[in-house]
Amino acid sequence: CRPEVLADALVRTKGTRGTRSPGSPHVGSALCALKAMDELTRMLFRLGRHFGGQLDAAASLFAMRSSLLSYNATEPVIDRAKVIRLGWCLKESDHLKVFRRRWLVLSRQKLCTFKLDGGDYTQPTSSIDMSNAVCSATSSTTIVVRELANKGSSHESPLKVLCLRFSDGVECRAWLTVLHECISAQDAPRANQVAMWESLYHTKD
């Protein structure tokens, strides 16, 4: 039986009831999965005495513990003190391509959507790193924000795409202005660094 199948069976049979803490449902799931992996790892090591090939699978499962231990669903992804703009919008889903109502929150570092307003900003439904973002209006009420890999290089490519629809053109233009300001503020240090390296390169010539 494959290790991932065993791990899935253990998590399903143990469930997550009694391990969830209020306001952070994913913590209970992570701890339950961690406990299941520990049990599975011990079992595979015991099997490894007879079947040496299982030791590699046990080692790889044990290595996954660090990511589960470092996971903290109660830590906010956005600092409330650094919020620039927030409000309701309609966000297009990644797979079904249907628009759902989302609470949109912007800081200098991140653009995030949440299911509810006034929460603790710990569980975004999507997020964009503004240091690698570009945005454009595709209609009078729609903005598309893209997070790029290798922004500013000849090999940049989209990592994430958010299609956001607003109630009217005034709200859309206000969001577009603020988004452009955030992106420009993030691009300025990058442009200064490029200029510095170019000046050093020409000085050497």
Side-chain angles (χ1 to χ4, degrees):
C1 183
R2 292 179 299 171
E4 58 268 27
V5 176
L6 288 171
D8 182 66
L10 282 169
V11 173
R12 289 176 182 276
T13 53
K14 286 182 175 297
T16 56
R17 280 189 302 178
T19 60
R20 298 185 179 215
S21 55
S24 55
H26 295 292
V27 174
S29 299
L31 291 176
C32 181
L34 177 61
K35 185 176 179 181
M37 281 188 179
D38 279 340
E39 292 185 11
L40 180 58
T41 301
R42 287 194 293 269
M43 181 182 71
L44 288 174
F45 271 116
R46 288 195 297 269
L47 288 173
R49 295 172 185 173
H50 304 285
F51 306 99
Q54 295 289 341
L55 287 174
D56 293 335
S60 63
L61 284 170
F62 189 79
M64 293 171 63
R65 296 172 78 255
S66 58
S67 62
L68 286 171
L69 287 170
S70 61
Y71 179 81
N72 186 359
T74 62
E75 186 173 345
V77 295
I78 289 184
D79 185 351
R80 285 181 175 277
K82 297 180 180 179
V83 171
I84 298 171
R85 188 177 179 86
L86 42 76
W88 288 107
C89 73
L90 296 176
K91 174 192 166 290
E92 187 180 46
S93 62
D94 295 333
H95 303 294
L96 298 179
K97 302 302 179 184
V98 296
F99 282 89
R100 297 190 176 100
R101 193 166 186 253
R102 291 290 182 260
W103 184 247
L104 187 63
V105 181
L106 173 66
S107 72
R108 291 289 180 189
Q109 290 75 34
K110 284 184 179 293
L111 176 68
C112 296
T113 60
F114 301 87
K115 289 185 178 181
L116 302 173
D117 64 329
D120 50 8
Y121 297 156
T122 58
Q123 297 178 38
T125 59
S126 58
S127 66
I128 291 283
D129 180 1
M130 293 304 293
S131 64
N132 295 309
V134 295
C135 71
S136 60
T138 57
S139 74
S140 61
T141 57
T142 306
I143 296 174
V144 175
V145 186
R146 294 179 175 87
E147 182 180 331
L148 303 177
N150 306 311
K151 183 181 179 182
S153 73
S154 58
H155 303 291
E156 64 182 23
S157 58
L159 291 175
K160 303 176 186 175
V161 179
L162 292 188
C163 183
L164 308 171
R165 184 175 292 171
F166 298 91
S167 56
D168 53 52
V170 174
E171 181 75 1
C172 183
R173 287 192 296 273
W175 271 101
L176 188 63
T177 299
V178 176
L179 286 168
H180 278 311
E181 289 174 354
C182 284
I183 292 171
S184 298
Q186 294 285 351
D187 286 345
R190 183 185 290 110
N192 292 337
Q193 189 176 26
V194 170
M196 181 188 70
W197 282 109
E198 287 180 345
S199 65
L200 288 174
Y201 177 77
H202 292 302
T203 301
K204 289 181 180 180
D205 290 345

